[in-house]
Amino acid sequence: MDKAKSQQFMLKVVGDVGTVLAAGAALVGDRSGLFRAMAGAGALSAQVIAERSDVQPRYVEEWLAVMTGAGYVEHDAAHDTYTLPDEHALFLTNPATEYYLGGLFHGLPGLMSSLPRVAQAYQTGEGVHFADFGAEMPLALEAMNRPVYETRLVRDWLPALPAALERLRAGGRALDVGCGTGVVPITLAKAFERATIAGLDLDARSIAIARERAREAGVGERVQFLQTPVEQLPRDERWDLITTFDVIHDLPDPHGTLVLIRAALAEGGTYLMVEPKVADRLEDNVANPFARMLYGMSCLHCVPQSLAQGGPGLGACWGESRARALARAAGFAEFRRLEVRSPAMSFYALSG
């Protein structure tokens, strides 16, 4: 045995656990306002941070130690002050901006609390249903996606589909499959007042939240939300634009879903498939921080909930080549990767 290698791995395991715990502490900092209390304020003592955030001082001291060790916060030992650099605050403090990454932490409670079920599923092969990840999971996924979807969907992504964009402006029809809490349909309804917009999702809680979000946004009468599996997609309706965002790899029948989507497109309509931006091969992904995070999410959530539905468990990192093959098998004549800038998502236009 290589003792140095063994020692190095031991330190890695300890460090990995420390990283997980730091992510939990970051969620606490997000929810308790600690990051916001530090943003733009320069160097602050722990006592001042406690006063600005209205958090008990002893908790603040310990939290700052964790965040300093994790590299989120900088500590000036000479003056015993702490700084949240502007470059870090950009991603941690404002949920309304597309740069906000705090939503990534919101999924941790559901994932961690479901680990016993997931471990059991590894033995039985039965999987874990989406609802079993907890009532907060739909909101956690919303927190991850809402800022960038609301900012980029209409302004940057749809212009890559000029024909679909023109149809929506003229009063066309758009359907988001696997709509979750309704971020995409509501964003489309707000942008295209003449268009008919609908969202479909199997999860009852997600649909209930989506309907409430639509009412809050003032588009409740203009967006239809269907709580139904995609297999029950209305057969007598045709859509100018159908979208799926980070959905296909989670489904029980990805091939069958693409067949149904193709059949539901209007003449000349477009299907926008958005999936994680990863390479086809594991060896090309391991150095990519986004891919490593996605493998973790996939291992603990995506694959178990697909298998729970009797699906193939494609996993989040299934890659473009498999997506192309699936589209071809479903009968699509065209599969085009769109030149849309995104560090985490790949955009494909399917038609024909």
Side-chain angles (χ1 to χ4, degrees):
M1 179 180 292
D2 185 332
K3 291 185 178 180
K5 184 175 182 179
S6 179
Q7 178 77 4
Q8 184 180 22
F9 181 71
M10 181 269 287
L11 294 175
K12 173 178 169 50
V13 170
V14 172
D16 286 347
V17 173
T19 297
V20 173
L21 296 175
L27 172 62
V28 171
D30 179 82
R31 291 188 172 177
S32 62
L34 283 161
F35 287 128
R36 291 188 295 277
M38 299 181 69
L44 301 171
S45 68
Q47 181 61 41
V48 170
I49 295 169
E51 293 169 357
R52 289 171 65 97
S53 62
D54 197 28
V55 174
Q56 202 273 342
R58 183 65 190 96
Y59 280 122
V60 172
E61 293 171 353
E62 206 70 5
W63 180 82
L64 286 168
V66 178
M67 290 297 97
T68 299
Y72 283 42
V73 166
E74 296 175 353
H75 180 225
D76 182 344
H79 298 90
D80 197 19
T81 57
Y82 300 85
T83 301
L84 178 65
D86 292 342
E87 295 84 356
H88 298 188
L90 174 69
F91 300 103
L92 297 171
T93 57
N94 188 353
T97 73
E98 63 178 302
Y99 303 106
Y100 177 68
L101 296 180
L104 293 174
F105 301 120
H106 289 216
L108 293 177
L111 289 176
M112 296 299 104
S113 66
S114 299
L115 288 181
R117 279 197 181 98
V118 172
Q120 183 179 15
Y122 271 48
Q123 298 297 316
T124 65
E126 294 177 352
V128 180
H129 287 280
F130 180 83
D132 292 333
F133 286 93
E136 295 303 306
M137 185 56 73
L139 294 173
L141 295 174
E142 177 187 275
M144 293 180 199
N145 298 317
R146 175 185 289 277
V148 69
Y149 285 13
E150 290 184 339
T151 302
R152 295 283 182 177
L153 176 59
V154 175
R155 188 188 73 187
D156 297 322
W157 299 344
L158 285 185
L161 301 170
L165 182 61
E166 193 58 37
R167 289 192 181 197
L168 292 181
R169 286 172 174 163
R173 297 166 54 81
L175 170 69
D176 185 42
V177 175
C179 66
T181 60
V183 176
V184 169
I186 292 170
T187 301
L188 291 175
K190 290 165 67 175
F192 304 102
E193 295 184 359
R194 298 172 60 189
T196 297
I197 310 295
L200 179 152
D201 202 285
L202 179 63
D203 183 59
R205 174 155 169 76
S206 296
I207 289 295
I209 296 171
R211 288 170 177 158
E212 179 60 29
R213 292 281 192 263
R215 285 192 291 271
E216 293 171 353
V219 296
E221 301 299 319
R222 296 182 38 239
V223 182
Q224 180 185 18
F225 287 108
L226 307 171
Q227 190 228 317
T228 180
V230 68
E231 291 79 12
Q232 296 179 22
L233 185 70
R235 302 294 179 92
D236 57 344
E237 298 179 343
R238 293 293 180 268
W239 305 88
D240 299 297
L241 174 66
I242 299 179
T243 58
T244 58
F245 285 81
D246 208 23
V247 165
I248 295 300
H249 65 269
D250 286 335
L251 296 178
D253 184 9
H255 171 265
T257 295
L258 262 62
V259 170
L260 291 171
I261 288 175
R262 180 174 177 269
L265 285 174
E267 183 70 27
T270 303
Y271 165 41
L272 174 63
M273 179 200 293
V274 181
E275 287 289 319
K277 189 174 188 177
V278 293
D280 292 325
R281 304 185 306 169
L282 171 62
E283 55 266 37
D284 297 324
N285 283 323
V286 290
N288 176 357
F290 284 98
R292 284 165 46 212
M293 178 184 69
L294 288 164
Y295 276 122
M297 290 181 175
S298 185
C299 173
L300 300 179
H301 180 262
C302 301
V303 168
Q305 67 90 32
S306 173
L307 294 178
Q309 303 174 76
L314 284 177
C317 299
W318 60 310
E320 181 177 334
S321 293
R322 294 174 74 185
R324 284 183 178 275
L326 188 67
R328 185 166 53 250
F332 283 97
E334 181 180 19
F335 180 105
R336 180 165 51 96
R337 178 165 50 85
L338 301 175
E339 297 303 321
V340 173
R341 291 182 59 187
S342 171
M345 295 180 287
S346 289
F347 296 75
Y348 310 122
L350 285 67
S351 60

